[in-house]
């Protein structure tokens, strides 16, 4: 997941992905990581604020519900979303640094 995110970040930095496409790709990456990589099936069913709250719980701070991670909820679907892609990239890097298979038990108990 970290390698895939690094590739997305490079594509964004080289102008191959705009901010919305980058946010969409990050969201897909996290869903795949949680559902398929870590086996947290509950992540498949959550969206918008519940999804952001799950990500907040993983990180241990409200950076998704009240910070640069908000575009991973419904915000990215508005006609002109405000997405700070550099801040989202830094947040994704921090989140991915905290995720590991040994945290699976904790992750499975995140709010849904």
């Amino acid at each position: 997941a970290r390698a895939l995110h690094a590739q997305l970040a490079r594509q964004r930095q080289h102008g191959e992905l705009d901010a919305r496409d980058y946010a969409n790709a990050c969201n897909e990456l996290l869903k795949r990581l949680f559902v398929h990589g870590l086996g947290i099936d509950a992540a498949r069913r959550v969206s918008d604020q519940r999804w952001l709250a799950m990500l907040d719980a993983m990180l241990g701070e409200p950076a998704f519900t009240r910070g640069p991670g908000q575009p991973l909820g419904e915000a990215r679907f508005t006609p002109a979303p405000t997405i700070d892609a550099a801040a989202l990239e830094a947040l994704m890097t921090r989140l991915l640094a905290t995720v590991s298979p040994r945290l699976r038990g904790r992750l499975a108990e995140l709010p849904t």
Side-chain angles (χ1 to χ4, degrees), residues 37-91:
L38 298 170
I40 302 169
D41 196 56
R44 181 187 318 266
R45 297 181 298 276
V46 296
S47 61
D48 198 26
Q49 291 302 308
R50 291 183 348 178
W51 171 236
L52 297 179
M54 182 181 272
L55 296 172
D56 281 351
M58 162 50 81
L59 189 61
E61 64 181 81
F64 290 91
T65 55
R66 292 188 266 155
Q70 288 178 336
L72 298 188
E74 298 296 319
R76 69 185 184 280
F77 299 117
T78 62
T82 301
I83 300 172
D84 183 341
L88 179 58
E89 180 183 331
L91 180 58

Side-chain angles (χ1 to χ4, degrees), residues 6-69:
Q7 180 181 356
L8 292 173
R10 281 190 300 277
Q11 289 176 314
R12 182 193 69 78
Q13 293 163 1
H14 289 103
E16 297 168 27
L17 289 175
D18 65 17
R20 185 191 312 246
D21 289 339
Y22 175 71
N24 286 332
C26 286
N27 191 67
E28 180 181 339
L29 172 64
L30 290 175
K31 285 284 188 171
R32 288 172 52 202
L33 173 63
F34 276 54
V35 174
H36 302 291
L38 298 170
I40 302 169
D41 196 56
R44 181 187 318 266
R45 297 181 298 276
V46 296
S47 61
D48 198 26
Q49 291 302 308
R50 291 183 348 178
W51 171 236
L52 297 179
M54 182 181 272
L55 296 172
D56 281 351
M58 162 50 81
L59 189 61
E61 64 181 81
F64 290 91
T65 55
R66 292 188 266 155

Side-chain angles (χ1 to χ4, degrees), residues 40 54 57 103-112:
I40 302 169
M54 182 181 272
L103 295 176
R104 184 175 307 197
R106 179 178 149 214
L107 293 175
E109 297 172 10
L110 292 175
T112 58

